[in-house]
Structures are given as structure tokens and as C-alpha cells.
């Protein structure tokens, strides 16, 4: 199961506990820890402890926490909304949980997963903002490490900013329409001058700036914008920070078929997703239909991420879409991505340019090899340029044949990568003379990159299989 398909065995949720009873049983450090955790909330804490440790007893007294010095009786959980069994006696803790479950009250027994209806998280408290980190009981120390990292990232004034935001929420809901106008207002609120004023402790100035921001938002006309975004070769962690931010902000994601679902899922959960995929021999929409769709969405005032595999400007037909948007007067922006040739070179650790060997690089699809005249890029290959061929499997024979017929040595090194940049990439190497056999490899279902040139010989072939070998024996290259 891939990372994007893994599922939790628990459902993360926040219980409403204000003024409700939460019960803790125990005298020692585990009970102390649960009580401290509950102290982050507005719950009414009741502790059952006959002989609490000295530091625990001092804490209970200092914070005026209700403490009952009695041994356990099932009736003690009667009015609780949460129960923590932390006595250090495993059998007693199980009895406490059974009593709670009989009354349908969620309970947690320390260090006994089968007797936990919920797990207590590592908590970062910026009330009313809370970040809870859970590991399903597998790694409490890891959860605490993550908590420390997040705690350093979040400003101490974040809670004050959230409280200020709550005081404006009704006005924002009344004055700004749903969707982009509200999202843009709140983004400016939480990241701009209002947040800066709160961080400096000047709440009066923060309110003044927030009011001005809302007035400006009410008077501003919402204009659509199309972002032509490169999704890279397909690995989620090769997506740029800007691309990820736009995916989290957009109203609509218009995506190609070659963009993996894991990358699409990085977008806003409630964003509309529209597949317009074009694969060889199977087009769900024509390019004109895609152009018309982008124009229509832009005129509706939508913020649209047009998500393209690799880089939009490298065989991504972005030129036609930009021309259509310009003609329609719809604003757009291009966000570059990592093109597959660069990812393939990284997989092979091969230099695309190499001092004294190759000083130029050509990107091509090879489709222009069918005429009588040798294309300019093919002549560059003869002079030592590295050639990266996109969609290389279907053109392998024609590329190799024309280059060898024009004088490029049949011993020129060739690197082939399926699914470049991904965890399931497949690497093969060989010579130009062996390249035509690639067309018969129907097992290669993913996009294939072919890199040709003397510089390719500088790559690392320890993870690669020879082209003359059988593809069935080739195990995927797993990244660590």
C-alpha cells in the first residue's frame, strides 16, 4: 500500500469537554501526566487518588483540582464524559475501563491498547488553536519530538489572533460571499499586518487593521486567475512549495491524466477536480475544449490550478492555453515544475552536460524525425549534445535509426527511465544500437524518458538493467 493509501485505525477528533467531568484514577506519574493534559481544557477534573505522590498532591492542591481519596467503585465514572485509568495496576485499570464502557463512556487505560477507546495526543496548545499529534500508541516519544518541532514553529500569540478572528467571523460571513473572497480575506488576516500587530501585542492596532482589511475586501471585485502549474514527474515531494500553496488555495483543479492521484490529493479537500487527461490514443477533452473550460472558469471568478505533468512549458501545450487566456482577457500565471528529463538524469546520477564532452542539451519528442530533413536537434547530437527524448518508447526505433544513419555511433550510451523521479521508477541502460528494442516493451506502462549522448556514460548504472535483459526481471528502484 502506497503512502497516500495508508489509513488510520483511529479517527482524529476533538471532544467538547467545557464544564463536563473528566475522571482520572491513580496516584503516580501517569495519572499526574493525564491530569496535566486535561488542565489544558475547560473540563471539570475529578481525581480519584488515595495516596498521590508528593509532587502530584502539591499540583492538585495548587490548582484546586477536586480530589477524592477513595478506592475504585464503578459508580465513580457515572457522570464523566472521559475516563483515564492510570493506577499502575493493570487489572484495576481494566476494571475501570469496563465500568466506563458499560456506561458508554470513552476510557483510556495507560499502556493497555486493547483497553483504550481513544489515545491521548502530544498537544501543542495555543487556545483556541490546538495541534494534537498521535501515533496510535506506537511511538509516544516520536509524538513528543514532533510536538516540540511544531511548538517552535507556532507563535505564542497565535491563540490571540484566532480569538480576534472569531470576533470578525459573523461580519465576514455576512459581507463576503463564500469561496475565494472569504479565503483571500482570511489568508491576508492570518499572514499580514493584522497578525503582525497581534504578535507585537498591539490589539487595538490589530482591530483597526482588520476592519480596514474587511472594508477593502467588500469593495474589491473578485477576478478569476488561472495558474498553469507544473506537477513535476509525479513524486509528491518534488512538487514546489508555490505549487503546493496554490493547490491549497484554489477553487478548481484541472488536471492531466499523467498527474498521479497522490499529487492531486494535495489540493484543497473541497476544491472541484476536473480531469482533462490526454494519453496516447485516449483524449477525454480536446485542447480547444480545455482552453474554453479555463476561460469559462476564469470569467466566473475562480482561482484555477491547471495541473500539468512535469513543467507546463516543456511539451505541456501551455502555449495554446496561454494564448487562449490572453485573448479572453483572463489573468494567468505560470508555476514551473521539474521536467521529467531532469528527474530521469537524477535517477541515473548522470550529468546532462559534462565539461569537455557535452556543453548543450536538447529536449525533444522525436516526432519530427519522420521528414526527409534531419532536424536541428539531431545535428546537435552529432556534435556532442545530450538528447532527452520524451515519450521515448514509441519513437525509439525512429530516433535510433535516423541518428545512426546520420553518423552518430551505434555505441553511444543510452539511459532509459520509466516513471522518472518516482518510487517505482525503472532504470535501463544500453547503446544506441540496442534502443529500437524498446518499442516492443509493452510492459512499460508509465511515461518513458530516453537520454542519449556521450555524457550519459558518466551515470551510475549500479541500479540499472541492460536494455538487452528482460524487463520482467527488473525490480523497481525504491527510494530511501
Amino acid at each position: 500500500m502506497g503512502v497516500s493509501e495508508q489509513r488510520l485505525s483511529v479517527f482524529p477528533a476533538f471532544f467538547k469537554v467545557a464544564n463536563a467531568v473528566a475522571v482520572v484514577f491513580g496516584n503516580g506519574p501517569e495519572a499526574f501526566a493525564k491530569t496535566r493534559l486535561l488542565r489544558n481544557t475547560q473540563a471539570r477534573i475529578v481525581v480519584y487518588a488515595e495516596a498521590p505522590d508528593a509532587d502530584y498532591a502539591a499540583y492538585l492542591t495548587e490548582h484546586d483540582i477536586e480530589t477524592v481519596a477513595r478506592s475504585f467503585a464503578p459508580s465513580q465514572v457515572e457522570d464523566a464524559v472521559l475516563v483515564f485509568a492510570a493506577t499502575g495496576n493493570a487489572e484495576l485499570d481494566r476494571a475501570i475501563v469496563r465500568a466506563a464502557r458499560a456506561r458508554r463512556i470513552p476510557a483510556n487505560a495507560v499502556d493497555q491498547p486493547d483497553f483504550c477507546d481513544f489515545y491521548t495526543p502530544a498537544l501543542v496548545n495555543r487556545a483556541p488553536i490546538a495541534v494534537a499529534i498521535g501515533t496510535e500508541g506506537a511511538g509516544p516519544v516520536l509524538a513528543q519530538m514532533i510536538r516540540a518541532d511544531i511548538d517552535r514553529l507556532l507563535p505564542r500569540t497565535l491563540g490571540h489572533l484566532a480569538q480576534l478572528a472569531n470576533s470578525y467571523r459573523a461580519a465576514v460571513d455576512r459581507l463576503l460571499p463564500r469561496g475565494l473572497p472569504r479565503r483571500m480575506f482570511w489568508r491576508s488576516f492570518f499572514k499580514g499586518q493584522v497578525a503582525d500587530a497581534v504578535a507585537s501585542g498591539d490589539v487595538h492596532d490589530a482591530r483597526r487593521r482588520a476592519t480596514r482589511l474587511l472594508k477593502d475586501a467588500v469593495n474589491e471585485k473578485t477576478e478569476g486567475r488561472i495558474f498553469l502549474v507544473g506537477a513535476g514527474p509525479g513524486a509528491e515531494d518534488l512538487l514546489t512549495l508555490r505549487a503546493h500553496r496554490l493547490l491549497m488555495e484554489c477553487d478548481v483543479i484541472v488536471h492531466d491524466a499523467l498527474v498521479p492521484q497522490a499529487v492531486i490529493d494535495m489540493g484543497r479537500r473541497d476544491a472541484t477536480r476536473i480531469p482533462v487527461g490526454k494519453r496516447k490514443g485516449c483524449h477525454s477533452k480536446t485542447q480547444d475544449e480545455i482552453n474554453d473550460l479555463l476561460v469559462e472558469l476564469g470569467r466566473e471568478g475562480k482561482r484555477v490550478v491547471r495541473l500539468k505533468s512535469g513543467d507546463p512549458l516543456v511539451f505541456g501545450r501551455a502555449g495554446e492555453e496561454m494564448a487562449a487566456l490572453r485573448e479572453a482577457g483572463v489573468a494567468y500565471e505560470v508555476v514551473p515544475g521539474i521536467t521529467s528529463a531532469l528527474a530521469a538524469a537524477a535517477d541515473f546520477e548522470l550529468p546532462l552536460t559534462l565539461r569537455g564532452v557535452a556543453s548543450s542539451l536538447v529536449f525533444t519528442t522525436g516526432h519530427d524525425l519522420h521528414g526527409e530533413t534531419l532536424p536541428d536537434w539531431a545535428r546537435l547530437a552529432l556534435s556532442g549534445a545530450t538528447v532527452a527524448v520524451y515519450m521515448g518508447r514509441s519513437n525509439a526505433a525512429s530516433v535510433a535509426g535516423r541518428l545512426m544513419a546520420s553518423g552518430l555511433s551505434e555505441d553511444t550510451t543510452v539511459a532509459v527511465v520509466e516513471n522518472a523521479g518516482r518510487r517505482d521508477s525503472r532504470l535501463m541502460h544500453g547503446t544506441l544500437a540496442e534502443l529500437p528494442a524498446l518499442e516492443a516493451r509493452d510492459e512499460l506502462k508509465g511515461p518513458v524518458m530516453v537520454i542519449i549522448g556521450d555524457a550519459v556514460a558518466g551515470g551510475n548504472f549500479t541500479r540499472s538493467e541492460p536494455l538487452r535483459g528482460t524487463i520482467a526481471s527488473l525490480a523497481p528502484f525504491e527510494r530511501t
Side-chain angles (χ1 to χ4, degrees):
M1 181 178 287
V3 173
S4 64
E5 299 171 326
Q6 291 179 357
R7 298 183 181 183
L8 296 168
S9 67
V10 297
F11 180 78
F14 290 92
F15 288 99
K16 291 183 177 181
V17 296
N19 302 315
V21 174
V23 178
V24 180
F25 292 88
N27 298 295
E30 292 294 350
F32 192 0
K34 302 303 183 188
T35 302
R36 283 197 304 267
L37 183 65
L38 282 169
R39 273 273 301 156
N40 287 283
T41 74
Q42 298 175 22
R44 177 190 156 205
I45 307 170
V46 178
V47 171
Y48 285 89
E50 295 179 88
D53 292 349
D55 55 346
Y56 187 19
Y59 182 87
L60 295 172
T61 300
E62 178 186 357
H63 296 286
D64 196 26
I65 295 172
E66 183 178 348
T67 306
V68 181
R70 294 179 190 166
S71 57
F72 168 67
S75 61
Q76 293 164 348
V77 304
E78 204 66 66
D79 298 323
V81 296
L82 293 176
V83 172
F84 294 87
T87 67
N89 180 324
E91 182 52 44
L92 177 56
D93 285 346
R94 290 195 289 271
I96 294 168
V97 170
R98 282 192 288 265
R101 287 177 173 175
R103 293 160 176 79
R104 298 190 176 184
I105 300 168
N108 174 287
V110 173
D111 293 333
Q112 298 191 70
D114 290 342
F115 284 82
C116 288
D117 300 317
F118 61 92
Y119 297 111
T120 54
L123 183 66
V124 179
N125 183 3
R126 300 288 190 273
I129 304 300
V131 180
I133 303 102
T135 63
E136 300 185 16
V141 173
L142 175 60
Q144 290 297 333
M145 291 168 62
I146 297 171
R147 186 203 68 80
D149 290 340
I150 295 174
D151 192 50
R152 284 190 292 269
L153 288 173
L154 299 183
R156 298 289 166 182
T157 56
L158 186 60
H160 300 305
L161 181 62
Q163 290 168 355
L164 180 63
N166 193 47
S167 69
Y168 276 84
R169 189 164 299 282
V172 171
D173 290 350
R174 185 176 69 255
L175 297 172
L176 295 179
R178 290 180 180 273
L180 179 62
R182 286 191 196 177
R183 286 202 309 277
M184 295 305 293
F185 168 81
W186 287 121
R187 185 170 183 273
S188 298
F189 185 101
F190 289 119
K191 288 291 186 182
Q193 295 179 343
V194 177
D196 293 341
V198 171
S200 67
D202 193 340
V203 178
H204 176 74
D205 184 50
R207 283 193 172 277
R208 182 174 58 82
R209 292 181 181 278
T211 300
R212 182 188 303 164
L213 182 66
L214 181 55
K215 288 180 179 178
D216 291 344
V218 169
N219 295 325
E220 184 178 351
K221 180 183 177 183
T222 301
E223 294 185 354
R225 194 172 189 87
I226 312 299
F227 298 90
L228 305 174
V229 174
E236 302 97 301
D237 54 357
L238 288 180
L239 199 69
T240 66
L241 292 174
R242 184 185 299 178
H244 190 198
R245 174 176 62 79
L246 292 171
L247 280 169
M248 292 298 294
E249 294 175 354
C250 68
D251 301 296
V252 183
I253 301 171
V254 178
H255 61 88
D256 283 342
L258 288 177
V259 179
Q261 189 62 44
V263 173
I264 299 168
D265 288 344
M266 295 175 76
R268 262 184 60 231
R269 185 171 54 187
D270 55 345
T272 302
R273 289 154 168 79
I274 303 177
V276 293
K278 293 196 291 290
R279 288 184 183 272
K280 184 177 179 181
C282 181
H283 294 185
S284 65
K285 285 187 181 294
T286 66
Q287 188 59 52
D288 285 341
E289 289 173 333
I290 294 172
N291 297 346
D292 292 342
L293 173 64
L294 296 178
V295 169
E296 179 183 353
L297 292 170
R299 285 176 171 168
E300 290 175 358
K302 306 290 189 183
R303 284 173 70 88
V304 180
V305 165
R306 171 68 174 104
L307 197 57
K308 294 173 173 288
S309 180
D311 183 278
L313 304 179
V314 180
F315 305 119
R317 304 190 74 167
E320 298 169 56
E321 294 173 8
M322 289 188 291
L325 293 169
R326 279 196 298 268
E327 184 178 350
V330 175
Y332 66 87
E333 179 180 324
V334 179
V335 179
I338 296 175
T339 190
S340 296
L342 304 183
D347 284 346
F348 260 107
E349 301 172 23
L350 66 86
L352 291 171
T353 60
L354 187 62
R355 185 172 58 181
V357 177
S359 59
S360 54
L361 172 64
V362 174
F363 293 164
T364 182
T365 64
H367 288 302
D368 54 356
L369 276 175
H370 301 300
E372 293 296 324
T373 306
L374 197 65
D376 289 341
W377 69 258
R379 286 194 290 271
L380 285 172
L382 300 180
S383 65
T386 304
V387 178
V389 185
Y390 288 70
M391 297 171 284
R393 190 177 75 84
S394 59
N395 295 300
S398 58
V399 168
R402 290 294 297 272
L403 288 178
M404 287 188 293
S406 301
L408 191 62
S409 172
E410 64 179 22
D411 293 328
T412 303
T413 310
V414 171
V416 177
V417 184
E418 180 195 22
N419 294 328
R422 305 185 194 180
R423 292 182 178 87
D424 59 346
S425 63
R426 294 176 180 269
L427 281 62
M428 291 159 279
H429 66 273
T431 64
L432 191 60
E434 296 168 336
L435 186 59
L438 192 64
E439 286 196 23
R441 298 292 180 86
D442 294 331
E443 306 93 327
L444 299 174
K445 304 298 184 183
V448 173
M449 282 295 312
V450 176
I451 305 178
I452 304 167
D454 291 334
V456 178
N460 180 355
F461 300 108
T462 59
R463 294 190 298 266
S464 174
E465 285 285 326
L467 270 171
R468 60 179 176 272
T470 58
I471 192 68
S473 67
L474 179 57
F477 162 40
E478 291 290 342
R479 282 173 173 72
T480 57

